[in-house]
Amino acid sequence: MHATQHHLFSDLGVMLGRSMRHVFRSLDTIITVTLTPIAMLLLFVYVFGGAIETGTDSYVNYLLPGILLIAIASGIAYTSYRLYMDKQRGLFERFHSMPITRSAVLWGHVLTSLVSNALSVIVIILVALVIGFRSPAGIGAWLGVAGILTLFTLALTWIAAIAGLSASSVDGAGAFAYPLIFLPFISSAFVPTESMPTLVRLFAENQPVTAIVEALRALLSAQPVGDDIWIALAWCVGIMAVAYVFAMRAYQKQV
Amino acid sequence: MKDIAIQVTGLQKSYKALQVLKSVDLEATRGSIFALLGSNGAGKTTVVRILTTLLKADGGTAAVNGYDVASQPDGVRQSISLTGQFAAVDEILTGRENVIMIAELRHLRNPRQVAVDLLGRFGLTDAADRRVSTYSGGMRRRLDLAMSLVGKPPLIFLDEPTTGLDPEARLEVWKTVKELAQNGTTVFLTTQYLDEAEQLADRIAILHEGRIIANGTLADLKKLLPPAKVEYVEKQPSLEEIFLAIIGHKEVL
């Protein structure tokens, strides 16, 4: 047992290196997880933004948190896809019949999801800076933003793991992400919820994305975060815990 | 008992109501080629999955290289390699990167050198830096085998290694299997092709309806039938012989 245990980090490193190559060698992945959110950012700021009343001076400041969440929701669809392909191609069986730390196979994918989403988030923030995004936030607030985005990525990654491990077709492995990508549109990510009809507004104000967006926005504009941050954290941790249990169950079935 | 590589007694496995393995007994000696023969769905892959620690048996015992598959899976995994029914290769990586990845996971000293050697041995040097998605079926299978040989495991499981391959690629796999055995590696292979078992195996076991119904050398199995009669039949070339003669055994890369 101990002989394979202390190789956990080097095994994880090999797995991470492998899946990061998958990310960088797939033009489709790069376009979907980085270029599309950037195009959306530009579209909303320069085309629709003029007509949207948010009560703030800078629409790009208002919009950025929602765009980051959409980028992450698109990114985890590829985690699901990569897991599905590994299952389908027999790579799980190869790895699991080798003397390596078994959990490294799944955690390698989770780590790749965190690293690749962090990269696309950084690229999107850099583009936002170029088109006028400014933040008075200090280092503590930025760490808070990084922490919430990491938890959000982890929560969605475990949902992606359930889909990837239990899907019976490539389409199924990716399809679950569409509602997740759509959620920010029915939240305060693009427009304030006040303008929405009552029913839609009720949904928008009580779904996780609104709390997460509000918490991120408050942190980035150096405003008091209020209850939103706790609601946001509760959503992220809650979704993560439930999804983790089901993902592990799906994973055990493969082993 | 040092020369026993695989020892299986009373192995049982059911999937829900379906009893796939009723009671399987078999024994493979070190350095030999052991073929498990059976039709589709006979349970050959289930036996391989249990012996390679991917699946837990419902009953019976199985020891691989002296390690119990249920209680000492790490020992088993240290000493085996599995080549599954479909080439388990990473399509997006190059051939070289695939072999290096396995060498790193086996914590070998010099993964790059291991890759150079194995890719050369399997005729993949020219294709080493191409992505595997551009490889032919035969090349994928060769890469798959190269990856299985990383770290020189003493026992290799080949689950239907030639299913879906063209005749030439099939002969290449046969050649590799024979070379492995000559170098002292134990090979456990499953196949549904009778000629494959006949060509390669030192011992053949026939799995049918959840049990091993016959087990022995080819000569042993032949004795189960009445003695051969001598008949004169005109020798017609098989289509395979014609095909191989026409294309002149050239490697298609």
Side-chain angles (χ1 to χ4, degrees):
Chain A
M1 226 26 180
H2 51 271
T4 51
Q5 283 303 321
H6 65 231
H7 287 307
L8 173 63
F9 291 106
S10 85
D11 291 347
L12 259 181
V14 176
M15 293 296 172
L16 175 68
R18 174 176 97 89
S19 325
M20 285 309 292
R21 282 193 172 119
H22 285 218
V23 175
F24 284 117
R25 286 179 192 175
S26 156
L27 189 60
D28 178 54
T29 310
I30 294 170
I31 289 176
T32 310
V33 304
T34 308
L35 299 187
T36 305
I38 288 172
M40 232 187 244
L41 181 72
L42 299 177
L43 186 69
F44 272 87
V45 169
Y46 292 118
V47 181
F48 304 134
I52 297 175
E53 285 297 329
T54 61
T56 51
D57 326 333
S58 159
Y59 187 57
V60 62
N61 286 2
Y62 184 88
L63 183 65
L64 185 62
I67 294 290
L68 296 181
L69 298 191
I70 286 181
I72 293 171
S74 331
I76 52 104
Y78 287 91
T79 302
S80 175
Y81 171 74
R82 289 189 291 268
L83 273 167
Y84 175 78
M85 291 315 266
D86 274 9
K87 180 183 81 166
Q88 206 59 11
R89 295 250 159 83
L91 279 159
F92 275 161
E93 300 207 334
R94 181 183 279 285
F95 292 139
H96 287 156
S97 64
M98 286 177 60
I100 62 171
T101 319
R102 274 197 178 187
S103 53
V105 181
L106 185 56
W107 281 98
H109 282 283
V110 174
L111 209 56
T112 303
S113 176
L114 283 174
V115 173
S116 64
N117 278 305
L119 287 179
S120 55
V121 161
I122 289 169
V123 171
I124 295 165
I125 291 177
L126 289 177
V127 172
L129 282 169
V130 171
I131 63 167
F133 165 71
R134 293 293 177 266
S135 166
I139 186 94
W142 274 106
L143 285 177
V145 169
I148 292 176
L149 289 177
T150 304
L151 279 177
F152 182 73
T153 309
L154 270 178
L156 294 198
T157 299
W158 286 113
I159 295 180
I162 304 174
L165 290 167
S166 45
S168 49
S169 71
V170 185
D171 297 338
F176 77 98
Y178 290 110
L180 297 178
I181 296 168
F182 207 66
L183 271 186
F185 290 99
I186 318 167
S187 78
S188 66
F190 292 91
V191 294
T193 53
E194 283 80 17
S195 61
M196 301 174 185
T198 319
L199 263 180
V200 182
R201 183 177 167 179
L202 262 175
F203 174 78
E205 288 180 351
N206 292 294
Q207 61 121 323
V209 172
T210 296
I212 297 168
V213 162
E214 296 291 333
L216 290 173
R217 211 175 265 149
L219 285 168
L220 287 173
S221 55
Q223 298 294 315
V225 288
D227 287 343
D228 282 323
I229 193 158
W230 301 115
I231 299 173
L233 287 178
W235 273 114
C236 289
V237 173
I239 293 170
M240 187 166 67
V242 174
Y244 176 80
V245 170
F246 282 97
M248 281 321 245
R249 203 174 286 175
Y251 186 58
Q252 296 305 333
K253 270 192 201 158
Q254 304 301 320
V255 184
Chain B
M1 297 299 274
K2 267 244 177 282
D3 54 342
I4 304 292
I6 299 174
Q7 174 96 51
V8 174
T9 339
L11 202 64
Q12 296 176 357
K13 181 71 194 175
S14 303
Y15 295 106
K16 292 188 180 133
L18 182 69
Q19 204 179 4
V20 182
L21 305 180
K22 287 176 186 143
S23 178
V24 171
D25 301 285
L26 57 86
E27 199 177 277
T29 42
R30 252 177 240 270
S32 69
I33 301 179
F34 185 97
L36 185 61
L37 191 62
S39 41
N40 266 336
K44 303 185 297 290
T45 298
T46 303
V47 173
V48 169
R49 287 177 58 88
I50 292 171
L51 293 179
T52 54
T53 77
L54 294 173
L55 190 68
K56 285 199 166 53
D58 297 336
T61 56
V64 172
N65 289 320
Y67 300 101
D68 185 81
V69 291
S71 60
Q72 300 164 298
D74 280 330
V76 175
R77 287 175 208 147
Q78 288 286 354
S79 62
I80 62 156
S81 208
L82 165 66
T83 303
Q85 251 175 59
F86 307 98
V89 293
D90 188 321
E91 302 257 316
I92 294 162
L93 302 186
T94 65
R96 189 188 308 281
E97 286 167 342
N98 266 289
V99 181
I100 289 176
M101 169 176 73
I102 300 296
E104 286 174 347
L105 289 173
R106 286 194 179 269
H107 311 290
L108 300 185
R109 278 272 167 73
N110 197 342
R112 300 211 130 261
Q113 192 54 47
V114 171
V116 170
D117 296 346
L118 279 169
L119 291 166
R121 181 169 156 197
F122 284 90
L124 291 168
T125 304
D126 291 339
D129 295 310
R130 263 166 46 199
R131 289 197 200 173
V132 174
S133 51
T134 67
Y135 283 20
S136 69
M139 289 165 77
R140 271 167 217 238
R141 191 41 116 183
R142 293 205 311 262
L143 176 63
D144 196 29
L145 284 167
M147 287 162 76
S148 291
L149 296 186
V150 171
K152 302 191 179 70
L155 169 59
I156 296 208
F157 289 90
L158 301 171
D159 192 8
E160 302 205 6
T162 60
T163 300
L165 291 187
D166 62 41
E168 270 189 286
R170 195 156 79 123
L171 289 179
E172 275 176 27
V173 172
W174 286 3
K175 199 173 119 228
T176 310
V177 172
K178 284 177 185 162
E179 282 170 8
L180 281 175
Q182 274 159 18
N183 294 324
T185 305
T186 313
V187 178
F188 183 101
L189 76 94
T190 72
T191 183
Q192 49 179 318
Y193 304 120
L194 307 174
D195 56 336
E196 187 158 293
E198 193 166 347
Q199 280 284 328
L200 295 176
D202 300 313
R203 280 188 88 82
I204 300 166
I206 299 174
L207 180 63
H208 186 66
E209 292 181 346
R211 289 174 209 282
I212 302 292
I213 53 164
N215 187 353
T217 62
L218 186 60
D220 293 339
L221 296 182
K222 278 181 176 163
K223 278 186 217 141
L224 295 173
L225 294 177
K229 278 189 299 192
V230 178
E231 282 181 24
Y232 292 96
V233 180
E234 195 183 33
K235 170 92 169 75
Q236 293 281 353
S238 71
L239 185 56
E240 179 172 332
E241 284 163 339
I242 298 170
F243 176 81
L244 292 171
I246 294 172
I247 62 168
H249 284 257
K250 276 197 203 93
E251 261 198 342
V252 212
L253 281 178

